[in-house]
């Protein structure tokens, strides 16, 4: 049973405040977890509250309800969060409080059983980690004056192990710096550690493709490219256009443009090519690339939410779901979304946020829940914390 809970306000990677939770059980179990935070947050995400007031409120009316619960009964723990919150979007207790507590509870339960979190949640037959999906050039809401497309991503599909995959991504990231320097471009980084040069999307494609091909030649490991368009950030509802620096595209034009990029760069993954309210556009986009092995992934569209995913499934919008535990706020809800996705043949990608801590929980969740990719950047302390954890997890297989 749970006999101690601590909540505190800590720093995240952008220098903002976030919540850290610690849970202790009577049998000596201990779990600690932190809430991440987004910059390009979806409008349908669970809502955070300012840390200090959320902690004071939780201490007054939430923590007394959690003390003495059985940490191994995750559903009851998460239901208690929901009941005390009493809203649809966790704005009552704050999604930042909820996700930190929910994940800390699972870790305390695993620790009481002397198990790793991925083993506790995934069971005896889990035997592989997800492949790391890494952000190498980025702009949008994550950097000033860089690319329109938020993230140019890579995934080392030919890597034999998680360790090889992690080092391959780092090699591509490093090679991109060399190319940028050779072209006389600045080498600042965005919030997720991706290079954030002042270049066009076309030049970014060219540079990532060149780096990928160089690393493939040097290592013999296949690397594929992907994107997070984060199209909700570009969508102008009044103009009914996706607004790029040098173009304004209707939904039809956006779909044609993305499909062309999929062909030209053999993209394995495209996240949020269409804005978060347009299920029909997303379905049309998915249809447009069917027959190719391209994942069309919903992040802001689904926000890790079962009801929104059900709507997407009914319309055949996308074939992949981005999973961010803090978008929905509890581990139970995160699991239910993944289960529904897999039941209907959607792939799942476990994901970091642009604002992160050194918390490594998502490496365990991505492994336990059989996600194909772990989206968590390539470099930077808060990113490598998760990648290095993937390497440690793999040693168990
Ligand atoms: P966010 O961005 O964490 O800033 O929302 C990541 C993403 O859009 O996938
Ligand atoms: Zn996204």
């Amino acid at each position: 049973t749970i006999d101690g809970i601590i909540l505190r306000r800590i720093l995240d990677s952008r220098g903002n405040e976030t919540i850290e939770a610690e849970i202790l059980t009577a049998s000596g179990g201990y779990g600690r977890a932190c809430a991440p935070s987004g910059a390009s947050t979806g409008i349908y995400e669970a809502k955070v509250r300012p840390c200090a007031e959320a902690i004071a409120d939780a201490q007054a009316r939430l923590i007394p309800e959690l003390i003495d619960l059985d940490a191994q009964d995750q559903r009851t723990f998460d239901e208690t969060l929901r009941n005390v919150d009493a809203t649809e979007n966790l704005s009552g207790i704050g999604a930042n409080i909820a996700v930190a507590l929910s994940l800390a509870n699972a870790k305390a339960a695993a620790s009481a059983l002397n198990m790793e979190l991925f083993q506790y949640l995934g069971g005896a037959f889990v035997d592989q980690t997800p492949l790391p999906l890494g952000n190498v050039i980025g702009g949008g809401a994550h950097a000033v004056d860089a690319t329109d497309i938020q993230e140019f991503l890579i995934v080392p599909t030919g890597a034999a192990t998680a360790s090889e995959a992690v080092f391959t991504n780092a090699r591509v990231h490093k090679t991109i710096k060399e190319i940028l320097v050779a072209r006389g471009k600045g080498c600042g980084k965005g919030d997720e550690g991706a290079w954030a040069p002042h270049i066009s999307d076309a030049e970014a494609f060219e540079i990532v493709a060149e780096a990928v091909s160089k690393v493939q030649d040097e290592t013999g490991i296949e690397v594929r490219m992907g994107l997070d368009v984060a199209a909700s950030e570009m969508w102008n509802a009044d103009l009914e256009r996706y607004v790029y620096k040098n173009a304004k595209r209707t939904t039809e034009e956006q779909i044609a443009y993305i499909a062309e990029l999929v062909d030209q760069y053999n993209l394995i993954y495209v996240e949020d090519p269409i804005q978060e309210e347009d299920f029909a556009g997303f379905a049309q986009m998915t249809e447009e690339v069917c027959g190719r092995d391209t994942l069309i992934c919903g992040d802001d569209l689904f926000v890790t939410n079962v009801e929104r995913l059900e709507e997407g499934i009914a319309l055949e919008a996308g074939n992949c779901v981005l999973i961010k535990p803090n978008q929905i706020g509890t581990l139970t809800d995160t699991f239910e979304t993944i289960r529904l996705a897999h039941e209907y043949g959607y792939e799942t990608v476990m994901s970091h946020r642009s604002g992160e801590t050194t918390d490594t929980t998502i490496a365990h969740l991505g492994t336990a829940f059989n996600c194909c990719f772990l989206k968590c950047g390539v470099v930077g302390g808060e990113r490598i914390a998760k990648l290095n954890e993937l390497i440690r997890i793999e040693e168990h297989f």
Side-chain angles (χ1 to χ4, degrees), residues 187-266:
C187 279
K189 286 186 215 153
D191 287 348
E192 296 179 350
W195 303 112
H198 184 61
I199 57 176
S200 66
D201 289 1
E203 192 172 6
F205 275 111
E206 207 178 286
I207 291 171
V208 178
E210 186 183 330
V212 161
S213 128
K214 183 158 186 274
V215 169
Q216 285 189 147
D217 287 348
E218 289 165 357
T219 63
I221 296 166
E222 182 191 65
V223 178
R224 300 270 303 269
M225 289 168 62
L227 298 176
D228 181 359
V229 182
S232 304
E233 302 289 317
M234 289 183 188
W235 177 248
N236 183 315
D238 298 328
L239 299 177
E240 296 193 344
R241 295 287 187 283
Y242 291 92
V243 179
Y244 293 70
K245 285 190 201 80
N246 298 315
K248 292 186 176 61
R249 295 186 170 93
T250 63
T251 301
E252 297 296 322
E253 288 164 349
Q254 175 82 349
I255 292 168
Y257 172 61
I258 299 293
E260 201 179 294
L261 294 173
V262 166
D263 276 337
Q264 192 174 351
Y265 296 101
N266 189 28

Side-chain angles (χ1 to χ4, degrees), residues 103-136:
L103 298 177
N105 180 66
K107 289 165 101 171
S111 148
L113 294 167
N114 238 319
M115 292 171 88
E116 293 276 352
L117 183 64
F118 78 88
Q119 291 171 319
Y120 169 68
L121 293 174
F125 297 108
V126 169
D127 62 357
Q128 66 179 19
T129 67
L131 272 176
L133 176 65
N135 185 359
V136 287

